[in-house]
Amino acid sequence: MSADPAADAGAPLIVLSDVWREYPAGDGTIAALAGVDLAIRAGEMVAIVGPSGSGKSTLMNILGCLDRPTRGSYRIAGRETAALGPDELAALRRERFGFVFQRYHLLSELTALGNVEMPATYAGTAPADRRARAAALLGRLGMADRLGHRPGQLSGGQQQRVSIARALVNGADVVFADEPTGALDRTSGEEVLKILDELNADGTTVVIVTHDMAVASRAERIVEISDGVVTADRRVRDGRPRRRAPGAGAASAAPASRWRAAADRFREALRMALLAMNAHRLRTVLTMLGIVIGIASVVCVVALGEGSRRKVLSNIASLGTNTLEIFPGKDFGDVRSAKVKTLVVADARALAEQPWVAGVTPTVSTSSTLRHGALEVSAMINGVGEQYFAVKGTTLAEGRFFDGRSVVTMAQEVVIDENTRKALFADVAGGAVGRTLLIGKVPFRVIGVTKAQQGGFGSSANPSVYLPYTTVQARILGTWSLRSITVRVADDTDTGLAEQAVVELLTRRHGTKDVFILNTDDIRRTITATTAVLTLLIAAIAVISLIVGGIGVMNIMLVSVSERVGEIGVRMAVGARQSDIMQQFLIEAVLVCLIGGLIGIALALGFGAVFAAVGSSFSLVYSGTSIVAAVLCSTLIGVLFGFLPARNASRLDPVAALARD
Ligand code: ADP
Ligand code: MG
């Protein structure tokens, strides 16, 4: 960064030989520069003059490594620039060059201080150092009281001083000024020229482009250019004795460590992304909406699927495991099954004798009116065996179950459920057990109350009561056929085999196959598979909406990039690497998606709370995995769909980008 030995020894710092810059025009090309030879020594102040359109800016852009010659050689301190890659050129601009443009090219969202600090951020200067240096430079240029002002709040002359401070913050040893006074009034222009003069007096090489001879006459050397060729090159004054002031030239501030510098650049990119998002709030929110809806629906669908699956599985669990439910009829939903009277208690007894059966309970059922005192309620009457409660896993809130003797003696005993207790015995002091209720006209003694079961099939608000099946058959129905037989298969027996054996046994006993079997394992498997397929299906739709949302993000990011081409050009001119630009736009895309994703998750959780509040029969089950996946997914969408716009931005040509502002 310090003036290199070759330059100190008197060799020119900058050497152009036979430089051409041609632009495509129609079928052929037009040459903005047509064979320029020019050498500039370190510490010189050179004015490049010529009429409008003569190629001054083109020359300046090539000198500043914003543009490349189409032909010819450009050497800086002995190094051929044609051999340098974009990031090496960026490093040159960052470390050795400073630019002052006619239209200032300040970033409007940043304060004066922020604008001056920016190149130092890319150079990796520690934040405190660069702030101090930027403030000191602005102070030296008479801007100490304007550090927090944005460009829009500054006059043209003040803006140009900010841009000069920006050119110097990294300790540039060459300052390129393209018509620096072109947009300024006389006084401000005079001040800017004075500053450039002083810089040169301090040892900085200054190249100033102008069409104004009065401006040019301040230089020690005037290069005239016309139609892309140098027409005159004369020394009008002797060069000043060079003195390199401390603080000028080599960036005095020590660069921060590699990691600290990278983290610092990341922070800068993050800040810029937030500024850009804030500048287009409505657009950002609308862009986010797609991601919000996508993520919210994915999370909700997964939670709904899991919630309903658990609900159904717990229902099945309440049927008991390893149980077969034997019904009369050909198959599930057989309309004539009620007319099939062949399933009888003797079948249950025969099944109970099988070695692979752990328990059997016949059931009969009907509905009837229950009465106690003045209260009455219609209830489901279940006639069951004494093993029923064990097979089903029913538990008692109070009292006891009936036993085998009750079944044999057709005892008039009844176990009621929680719903029945509420309907008939809510106001009875001392509870329901021991009271008598009427089923139809027959009196029964309440011997137990079951605990409310968690979501079993038919665990609705309907009251149910349990009596010995013999009692129901003899005293209520007057028929001996059964509604079903529930078999609990021994643990070491395969339920499939047991099912076959049951069908065989009953077919032999009845002479024909007139029963069918519900196997809880089958039901569980079927339902699990069904909910999985459904969840997958709806999730696929949600993912499509996420992709649509992602394309929306990409679209807006492309717009954002093309809107901010000027900003990108400025950043590149002050030495941002391609990766810095890429990072800035990627961060913006990821931020939009990530914030959208987080809002989406919050929305989904809120939906779950509402769902629970309206008293639905099951709740949404959010898995940590699905939420983490949603966050990762939205980040990924940001990276994926932000990549193309960010790459477009980073591959912009600095000079083309600047020209479009
Ligand atoms: P000056 O700065 O001296 O006014 P420029 O260097 O901007 O002139 O332009 C020199 C010539 O090159 C002009 O004729 C201009 O039309 C042409 N030129 C400059 N930039 C482009 C471009 N991007 N595409 C085509 N022609 C260009
Ligand atoms: Mg120009």
Side-chain angles (χ1 to χ4, degrees):
M1 261 169 280
S2 59
D4 71 282
D8 283 341
L13 178 63
I14 282 172
V15 180
L16 296 184
S17 25
D18 194 28
V19 161
W20 289 69
R21 179 65 172 97
E22 288 159 322
Y23 293 107
D27 293 337
T29 57
I30 59 159
L33 296 180
V36 173
D37 293 300
L38 185 65
I40 298 173
R41 288 177 187 284
E44 269 187 316
M45 181 161 184
V46 181
I48 297 174
V49 296
S52 182
S54 55
K56 305 183 296 295
S57 295
T58 307
L59 177 59
M60 183 68 116
N61 291 335
I62 285 177
L63 287 174
C65 292
L66 292 168
D67 196 8
R68 290 173 186 271
T70 20
R71 263 188 285 157
S73 141
Y74 172 23
R75 301 164 79 82
I76 298 171
R79 258 171 111 197
E80 177 54 57
T81 57
L84 302 179
D87 279 349
E88 287 167 303
L89 294 177
L92 259 180
R93 294 194 294 266
R94 192 163 61 232
E95 287 158 12
R96 304 200 67 162
F97 297 165
F99 293 93
V100 179
F101 301 100
Q102 180 176 359
R103 306 225 141 262
Y104 332 125
H105 285 317
L106 298 177
L107 300 191
S108 56
E109 298 105 59
L110 295 181
T111 60
L113 191 66
N115 268 290
V116 176
E117 265 187 65
M118 184 189 37
T121 311
Y122 293 126
T125 315
D129 290 348
R130 67 170 194 245
R131 202 150 306 138
R133 194 172 163 82
L137 275 167
L138 281 168
R140 221 172 86 197
L141 301 183
M143 296 283 293
D145 54 346
R146 298 281 193 280
L147 300 187
H149 285 55
R150 284 169 206 286
Q153 301 164 320
L154 298 172
S155 74
Q158 289 170 331
Q159 289 188 60
Q160 198 59 299
R161 278 186 266 168
V162 173
S163 92
I164 294 173
R166 180 181 63 188
L168 300 177
V169 74
N170 282 344
D173 50 10
V174 188
V175 168
F176 297 104
D178 190 351
E179 311 257 13
T181 60
L184 299 179
D185 59 80
R186 218 171 166 73
T187 336
S188 311
E190 201 53 44
E191 278 170 13
V192 165
L193 289 174
K194 216 175 116 230
I195 294 167
L196 291 176
D197 253 355
E198 285 168 11
L199 276 178
N200 181 241
D202 285 347
T204 307
T205 312
V206 175
V207 179
I208 177 169
V209 157
T210 181
H211 62 272
D212 183 346
M213 274 321 272
V215 172
S217 61
R218 311 194 54 134
E220 63 192 70
R221 179 178 163 199
I222 297 179
V223 174
E224 279 178 47
I225 178 168
S226 174
D227 288 332
V229 284
V230 176
T231 51
D233 184 349
R234 58 206 152 84
R235 192 159 294 274
V236 288
R237 209 154 16 91
D238 273 342
R240 293 183 179 82
R242 288 174 57 198
R243 69 181 159 87
R244 198 93 171 118
S252 51
S257 82
R258 243 179 101 81
W259 278 107
R260 286 266 305 280
D264 196 37
R265 292 212 304 276
F266 181 84
R267 226 185 5 255
E268 161 81 4
L270 192 69
R271 203 162 63 90
M272 285 317 300
L274 288 173
L275 279 174
M277 284 164 69
N278 188 47
H280 302 281
R281 270 181 296 263
L282 181 64
R283 194 165 83 182
T284 307
V285 167
L286 289 177
T287 313
M288 250 178 222
L289 211 55
I291 302 295
V292 170
I293 292 171
I295 291 287
S297 48
V298 169
V299 173
C300 273
V301 161
V302 172
L304 266 171
E306 182 60 18
S308 61
R309 197 180 66 88
R310 288 202 189 173
K311 160 83 174 166
V312 169
L313 287 184
S314 86
N315 285 349
I316 295 171
S318 75
L319 288 177
T321 51
N322 287 349
T323 60
L324 304 175
E325 198 98 12
I326 306 163
F327 292 96
K330 289 257 175 292
D331 205 345
F332 201 56
D334 181 351
V335 286
R336 289 168 328 192
S337 65
K339 296 203 182 80
V340 179
K341 302 288 186 197
T342 46
L343 198 64
V344 292
V345 176
D347 292 332
R349 284 207 194 98
L351 283 168
E353 282 162 17
Q354 304 303 314
W356 40 267
V357 170
V360 174
T361 172
T363 61
V364 290
S365 59
T366 181
S367 58
S368 182
T369 308
L370 309 182
R371 283 194 196 82
H372 178 257
L375 296 174
E376 59 175 64
V377 64
S378 113
M380 182 82 179
I381 314 295
N382 299 290
V384 298
E386 74 279 5
Q387 292 182 5
Y388 176 85
F389 303 104
V391 170
K392 292 283 188 180
T394 314
T395 49
L396 281 170
E398 52 178 316
R400 62 177 177 84
F401 293 125
F402 49 78
D403 54 19
R405 247 176 55 83
S406 307
V407 174
V408 174
T409 59
M410 302 179 198
Q412 282 165 267
E413 295 173 338
V414 59
V415 174
I416 64 173
D417 72 349
E418 179 60 18
N419 293 326
T420 314
R421 193 193 65 76
K422 270 193 208 143
L424 297 183
F425 300 101
D427 298 330
V428 178
V433 174
R435 310 279 162 189
T436 302
L437 59 75
L438 291 175
I439 300 180
K441 293 193 174 63
V442 189
F444 287 85
R445 200 159 58 84
V446 177
I447 60 165
V449 181
T450 63
K451 261 190 198 145
Q453 215 167 356
Q454 266 303 307
F457 273 135
S459 73
S460 54
N462 294 334
S464 298
V465 297
Y466 304 91
L467 288 67
Y469 67 93
T470 49
T471 312
V472 176
Q473 287 174 324
R475 300 189 196 276
I476 298 175
L477 289 176
T479 155
W480 299 102
S481 66
L482 297 174
R483 187 187 67 104
S484 72
I485 298 174
T486 306
V487 173
R488 180 174 204 138
V489 180
D491 284 340
D492 56 355
T493 309
D494 177 66
T495 31
L497 288 177
E499 198 175 323
Q500 279 178 20
V502 167
V503 172
E504 249 167 55
L505 180 76
L506 294 181
T507 306
R508 190 149 34 80
R509 287 179 61 87
H510 298 174
T512 168
K513 183 185 176 300
D514 57 359
V515 296
F516 70 93
I517 292 174
L518 278 186
N519 174 340
T520 52
D521 286 346
D522 286 352
I523 302 176
R524 194 198 333 270
R525 254 192 300 272
T526 310
I527 288 175
T528 306
T530 315
T531 48
V533 168
L534 267 181
T535 304
L536 205 67
L537 201 77
I538 306 175
I541 295 172
V543 165
I544 290 173
S545 84
L546 268 184
I547 293 174
V548 173
I551 292 173
V553 171
M554 177 154 69
N555 210 350
I556 292 301
M557 288 305 299
L558 285 171
V559 171
S560 176
V561 167
S562 68
E563 258 179 10
R564 280 149 66 194
V565 162
E567 174 195 328
I568 297 166
V570 172
R571 289 179 180 278
M572 287 181 155
V574 302
R577 301 159 189 80
Q578 289 191 328
S579 59
D580 292 325
I581 303 293
M582 177 113 181
Q583 173 172 276
Q584 182 185 335
F585 283 89
L586 258 188
I587 286 175
E588 191 175 330
V590 168
L591 265 188
V592 167
C593 292
L594 197 58
I595 295 174
L598 293 179
I599 294 174
I601 290 170
L603 214 63
L605 293 176
F607 175 72
V610 170
F611 200 73
V614 299
S616 126
S617 64
F618 66 98
S619 51
L620 277 74
V621 179
Y622 299 97
S623 69
T625 331
S626 79
I627 288 175
V628 170
V631 171
L632 288 182
C633 182
S634 41
T635 311
L636 192 72
I637 290 172
V639 172
L640 220 60
F641 289 96
F643 179 78
L644 185 72
R647 199 191 54 170
N648 282 1
S650 72
R651 290 204 178 163
L652 278 172
D653 190 5
V655 73
L658 274 174
R660 266 201 268 166
D661 196 28

